[in-house]
Amino acid sequence: MTNIVSRITSPERRSFLVSTSAAAGGLALGMVLPFGNEAQAAERANYSSDTTLLGKTPGNEVTAWVFIKPDDTVVIRIARSEMGQGTMTGLAQLVAEELDCDWAKVTTEFPTPGQNLARNRPWKDFFTAGSRGIRASNEFVRQGGATARMMLVQAAAEKWKVPVAECSAASSVITHGPSGRKISYGKVAAAAAKIEPPKEVKLKDSKDWKIAGKPLKRLDTAPKTNGTLTYSIDVKLPGMLCAAIRDCPVFGGTVKSFDAAKAEKMRGVKKVVQVGKSAVAVVADHWWEAKVACDAVTIDWDLGPNANVSSASIAAILKEGLDASTNTYVGNENGDAKAAIAKGVKKVEAVYAFPYQHHATMEPMNATALWTADRCEVWTATQDGEVALAATSESSGHPLPKCDVHKLPLGGGFGRRTTHDFVIQAVGIAKQMPGVPVKLIWSREEDMTHGRYHPTTQCKMTGSFDENNNLTGLHMRISGQSIIAFVAPHNLVNGKDPFTFQGLNAAGAEGVFGYTVPNLLIDHAMRNPHIPPHFWRGVNNNQNSLYLESFMDELALSVNQDPLEFRRKLLKDHPKHLAVLNAVAERAGWGKPAPEGVFRGLSQHMGYGSYVAACAEVSVSKEGALKIHRIVAATDCGYAVNPAQIERQIAGSFAYGLSAMLFGECTVKDGAIEQKNFDTYRVMRINEMPKVEAIVMPSGGFWGGVGEPTIFVAAPAVLNAIAAATGKRIRQLPIKDQDLRKA
Amino acid sequence: MTRLNVNGTSHDIDVADDTPLLWAIREWIGLTGTKYGCGVAQCGACTVHIDGQPVRSCLYPAVAAVGKKVVTIEGLAPKGKMHPVQKAWVEGDVPQCGYCQSGMIMAVAALLKTKPKPTDADIDSAITNICRCGTYQQIRAAVHAAAGNA
């Protein structure tokens, strides 16, 4: 418990609190410090941290979302982070759609979280996780575009002294119907910016979309092909130094003492500093020099209370939870599952396990910080600029209005960059080098051993049938780690982590359990090892879907029923779940012969507001070599803002989810993570990538996410296909060391 | 001083003998299109051409490149022009986060020099770079497109 207490009191934990409140819809930042007063705003405006074009280039901000230059260039402000998922382009499409502007003249810029606070949060929250980028902000960004259009049209009408109703806008041009006069947005933007924004704004029906809903190309591709895009790791500031760091290999350990005598004399080294309680960093002219010297520092660690923890000891704790009655919480229940199972004519039981996994973003964690006696600025890749700002403020000792965070494009996020341990470290180093910008880069080894990991769980599934082979009861007992207990314990509900039950809920818009079972019990025995868990693309849906969808196949096969027909019967009350499943079954040719040696597997799940299903086709050689040939995947995300980018998210989700299924495992020895680089933490390469056929089938009426949902169904569909091919049921990830030869 | 020829320009830089070419390019010469991903030649984000051959620069000592011609993503095509691979990447809307793509493009450009019309099997064996966003499907299509254009 002391370990948990020490985590709660760390600055990082406090920044988590802000993060989680933001995620829950009520932002805690406003309570931390006052902001938005005029003096502070004026001070901010004079400071170099303004990254928007406002005041720097001719043009006018019509609404917070829309800045228009005299040459008709439309600069759309994007609050959410761009980490490859295409949110930036999608959000720009939504604003541009309502603005009725010329898409060819659209560019984007990222306001800073400091600007957001100073202006009383016109861009609302910056949180970019949970597949929320578009679904959680579509309404107000569209309003930002529509409001600007109305103001521009009104400005033109006033200029021409004609009724607004006689004017219309299209492709950045306003036309006065009766006279045929035309004027472009750039020419009326200055006047429009002075108009009081309309109170009532009507948004378009999606069937009238011309820019949104179209498979447009991304806005940020060219600089990603010629080396000119500046990522966080590429930041260069005048006089900047670089830092490498070594944190205690065991989470919860600290630095007892260190000897830097050798390192301090090494080439390029400027300073060796302790960072917080648990790390030592070397600051040098170049990162390579810092890294070589950092390796040469002798550190005496106090490894703390977790130095004897191993994968085996963690697995034993989780195993105990499979049948335990203490520290357990019910997530979804109807009827009496235990009684039904006791009375069942046939009973099926299986135990599954899911390991720790690392995010392994291509760009290792890094941040550049500049600390002076009265300000602190950070340049970094973050999935939540405002939480990064809170972390900067806390660790710098300066109030929020004296800090800012410059958001750079992310070389991958996957949830890892919703927490800011690396920002806190960078500021901690910069604070010891006043006035000097310092860029901290984690080596890949540091990154992999100091991650925030996909939580580990085990699961006991038990099902029962009556004499007519009807499923009468289902008990799903999850045992293992709670993310919320670590990152935001105040969000536990009487000790329960509701987030554990992602995709297993009885109701709600996030993730509903699709099967109707007369007696159902889904519960969680919370068991929290010391390895820090975190949101990892797909999060708890990943294991929940794996356990459930694997077991649905086990149940079906136990009573000699077709897995598709078995699911169809149980999904009858959830037509949207059923629709995506039917779509993949039909496209894949379920029920029709597969190519020789090829076997199929199905899965479906709902999460982050979207319905997803997959059908995998695999073969397994006599020697046990697996080949994943083809995947058909369907997504119903309600509205599809950019179908081409959704297809890419679907395909990419298989690369990510199947990498985890095939290879993804972080093991623990002596309290530390053993895997240090891509040689021991393998991920999928192009030769292992199956052909993915995406079916984007938005049914309208709701907004679901697309960055994560497909991950849920990736592994179970393949595992079900492997079982069909071999008769072997894989119940533990990853499968890399398991014998797949025919049973 | 170590004299390196990078993208046709000569640079005299003061690096230690153990400095990898990657960091010499990024930090001493200042070209940041070449990325650090793993430092152990696993991911390929640091791929450059040395005398026309694709090399993972994170394990290649800078001093070993003396007297050779180093080409980075910034120098793949003459200024203002696009290499057929870059063109195919833009037309195919390939990158997601984009961090691995410099290395991918360099690896593919080198492949097309030796195999102008690569098969899927050629791609599988030659392109071993890692992409965590999972753009592999778009990469494969773009390699074929670039081969058709080249």
Side-chain angles (χ1 to χ4, degrees), chain A residues 602-622:
Chain A
L602 288 170
S603 66
Q604 67 79 28
H605 193 78
M606 183 205 175
Y608 297 119
S610 286
Y611 304 82
V612 289
C615 181
E617 292 186 347
V618 314
S619 62
V620 179
S621 73
K622 263 187 201 148

Side-chain angles (χ1 to χ4, degrees), chain A residues 33 62 129 151 157 239 246 293 297 417 433 443 454 477 531 534 565 700 725:
Chain A
L33 283 164
V62 183
M151 292 160 74
R246 281 165 63 202
V297 178
R417 288 184 157 106
M433 308 285 295
S443 67
H454 192 301
R477 162 58 69 88
I531 301 291
H534 203 62
E565 292 308 321

Side-chain angles (χ1 to χ4, degrees), chain A residues 13-75:
Chain A
R13 169 52 68 92
R14 291 197 292 278
S15 70
F16 268 129
L17 299 186
V18 180
S19 165
T20 314
S21 326
L27 195 90
L29 268 178
M31 293 185 285
V32 179
L33 283 164
F35 55 85
N37 82 38
E38 279 179 36
Q40 286 165 354
E43 187 192 346
R44 297 205 60 75
N46 290 332
Y47 198 73
S48 63
S49 66
D50 187 342
T51 56
T52 64
L53 292 168
L54 188 58
K56 288 186 197 155
T57 190
N60 294 277
E61 180 179 300
V62 183
T63 66
W65 303 96
V66 176
F67 181 91
I68 298 179
K69 295 188 194 174
D71 67 358
D72 293 332
T73 300
V74 173
V75 183

